[in-house]
Amino acid sequence: MDRTERTRGSIRERIRPLLTLFAVALAALAAPTAAAAGPTDWTELRTLNIAHQGGEDEAPSNTMYAYDRAMRLGSDMLETDIHVSADGEIVVIHDSTVNRTTNGTGSIYEMTLAEIQKLDAGYWLVPGTDTSHSDRPDSDYPFRGVRTGDVKPPPGYKPGDFKITTLPKVMKKYPDVPINIEIKGQSDANIASYLHNAEVLAGFLNDLGRTRGIVVASFKDEALARFHELAPQIDTAPATGGVAAYVLADTPPPEGSKVFQVPMTFSGIPVVTPEFVDKAHGDGYAVHPWTIDDEPTMKYLFDLGVDGIMSAQPMRLEKAMCNKDVARPPLPKGSPGKHCTKRASIACDVRAGNTLDRDGSRLFVTVKRRDEFDSRCAGTVTLETKSGNGQAKSRFNFGWKPPSEGGPDSRDIEFLSPRLEKAVRRGKPLRAVVQPYDAFETRTAYPAG
């Protein structure tokens, strides 16, 4: 076989999956298409920081803690995944089993909501990475035990924020926040489970009555077709077949489609290109690439003018957006955060040294970073009396690199406060409270004098 023939064979192999999807799409898209579903103009909401699973590399996936933290650090939209439990509840979790992210095992479809919610949804997370590491020391899993009460939750949160949650609870907590809901299934081959989940979701959203700021997606064209049949007022993002037909044959996506949610490439074929983005915008569709966790790709997508980016690291995406000065919509009503906030951190392990250093009227505390997590580590240090009265407060920032990659492993924090000086002169014992933002606090006591 000569080089030309080998090249042709290679191309055929690369596009074969797309051709198969295209054939599927032609059957799925036989019905006529129409334009709008819900009232949201997604091309006007540019550019969105979309927290994929709430930011599963930075916080326990799809938990209320992850969603709240993402909103606090400046995210504009939340992405969720849904399955239906054995007792008919819409459960928010990515996988069809609890094995990968919790301290339990079993299929969501064979468990009741009560059984599911007893589990620890932060059990396997290593911040700055994911849940794929099961051979690390216990100290690398800071959220392990919060759900079960063995570890005190971060201030402002409860153990229940670290359990597998439900879609009704998410929708109630965030009535004005744009939300993406992906219909999952028991397995790729179990189309019946996708269709059932689509029907249950449609019934819930019809009863809820909210249409603004919701996008429903799925990898299965059949699930989206069934959902749209039952809830035509809700915006959708076309599934794999619908995207393939649009890209390969210029076939309009199914009725109700408003957003293309696509990977950068599929089977080695580029999907998110300048031509694709321009074409989608020209046809009135928004573009939300997924799942983007590296800053060079984020910056490339900003230049293309995409409408939103889904990221498992929304804090890193927020940093890239702010450094690039990307145009943003106002944060949703009721959001607890702000764009470009400095109050953002992962759950890094920072402890105060056991001595206070004094230089005239100034006090110094050395704080040490003890983890190797790959993300921003920042927060506050408060000097308080034994009774809990704060005397002075300062901030620390270890940056984005852990010590093993050249980041600092200690910082000297300076305090200068008349109130603190008065407490020291009176000989009051003090303690340092160190807290990374939205994470765990540690306390170090110092003797009087």
Side-chain angles (χ1 to χ4, degrees), residues 136 369-374 401-409:
R136 299 174 66 133
R369 182 173 184 182
R370 301 163 17 126
D371 65 89
E372 292 294 341
F373 302 150
D374 183 20
K401 291 182 178 181
S404 63
E405 296 182 10
D409 61 2

Side-chain angles (χ1 to χ4, degrees), residues 68-79:
D68 184 73
R69 175 187 172 277
M71 297 306 301
R72 289 180 184 277
L73 62 84
S75 291
D76 307 282
M77 184 174 181
L78 300 174
E79 189 271 348

Side-chain angles (χ1 to χ4, degrees), residues 350-353 355-357 362-369 381 394-398 408-415:
V350 180
R351 310 287 177 96
T355 60
L356 278 173
D357 294 321
R362 298 181 299 171
L363 284 177
F364 294 87
V365 173
T366 299
V367 294
K368 297 184 178 182
R369 182 173 184 182
V381 183
S394 192
R395 297 180 180 180
F396 67 86
N397 182 5
F398 283 91
D409 61 2
S410 66
R411 293 287 195 193
D412 291 332
I413 310 301
E414 179 182 344
F415 297 88

Side-chain angles (χ1 to χ4, degrees), residues 31 83-84 104 110 143 152 154 216 233 266-267 299 318 335 404:
H83 296 270
V84 177
E110 298 173 359
F143 299 103
K152 186 178 179 181
V216 172
Q233 76 282 7
F266 182 82
S267 294
K299 294 174 183 177
E318 186 71 13
S335 173
S404 63

Side-chain angles (χ1 to χ4, degrees), residues 42-308:
W42 293 98
T43 61
E44 290 293 319
L45 293 176
R46 187 183 304 169
T47 307
L48 298 173
N49 177 334
I50 307 172
H52 189 263
Q53 300 176 38
E56 71 268 31
D57 286 0
E58 298 175 351
S61 167
N62 279 321
T63 59
M64 296 305 293
Y65 167 78
Y67 294 142
D68 184 73
R69 175 187 172 277
M71 297 306 301
R72 289 180 184 277
L73 62 84
S75 291
D76 307 282
M77 184 174 181
L78 300 174
E79 189 271 348
T80 68
D81 310 276
I82 63 109
H83 296 270
V84 177
S85 66
D87 52 349
E89 299 293 336
I90 304 177
V91 178
V92 178
I93 184 173
H94 181 273
D95 297 2
S96 62
T97 74
V98 299
N99 302 6
R100 182 175 61 87
T101 56
T102 80
N103 58 334
T105 59
S107 169
I108 292 290
Y109 296 83
E110 298 173 359
M111 304 171 70
T112 66
L113 179 63
E115 292 171 331
I116 292 167
Q117 291 196 322
K118 289 179 181 178
L119 301 174
D120 183 349
Y123 193 81
W124 288 113
L125 177 68
V126 177
T129 54
D130 50 37
T131 59
S132 63
H133 309 282
S134 59
D135 57 351
R136 299 174 66 133
D138 287 346
S139 59
D140 281 1
Y141 305 95
F143 299 103
R144 181 177 288 182
V146 177
R147 169 69 187 112
T148 56
D150 298 317
V151 173
K152 186 178 179 181
Y157 296 96
K158 309 180 296 297
D161 294 325
F162 296 82
K163 67 184 177 183
I164 296 171
T165 190
T166 65
L167 186 62
K169 183 169 183 178
V170 174
M171 301 301 285
K172 182 178 180 180
K173 177 74 180 290
Y174 302 107
D176 299 299
V177 174
I179 293 179
N180 184 87
I181 306 168
E182 182 179 340
I183 301 170
K184 295 288 191 178
Q186 192 166 7
S187 68
D188 285 344
N190 192 336
I191 300 300
S193 66
Y194 279 89
L195 294 175
H196 174 68
N197 294 350
E199 292 165 357
V200 174
L201 176 62
F204 165 70
L205 292 178
N206 285 338
D207 290 341
L208 182 68
R210 174 182 167 182
T211 58
R212 186 174 297 278
I214 299 177
V215 176
V216 172
S218 180
F219 279 101
K220 300 297 183 182
D221 297 270
E222 302 93 328
L224 282 179
R226 181 58 176 154
F227 174 82
H228 179 72
E229 179 184 357
L230 299 175
Q233 76 282 7
I234 303 293
D235 294 335
T236 59
T240 310
V243 174
Y246 183 79
V247 172
L248 295 177
D250 199 22
T251 302
E255 183 178 344
S257 300
K258 297 286 285 293
V259 181
F260 280 106
Q261 295 178 345
V262 289
M264 293 297 295
T265 62
F266 182 82
S267 294
I269 307 297
V271 176
V272 185
T273 62
E275 295 77 16
F276 173 81
V277 174
D278 289 345
K279 172 178 167 53
H281 284 166
D283 292 338
Y285 303 106
V287 178
H288 295 166
W290 54 262
T291 304
I292 313 301
D293 300 324
D294 66 287
E295 294 184 44
T297 305
M298 292 172 183
K299 294 174 183 177
Y300 169 74
L301 292 172
F302 300 151
D303 291 337
L304 290 190
V306 300
D307 304 275

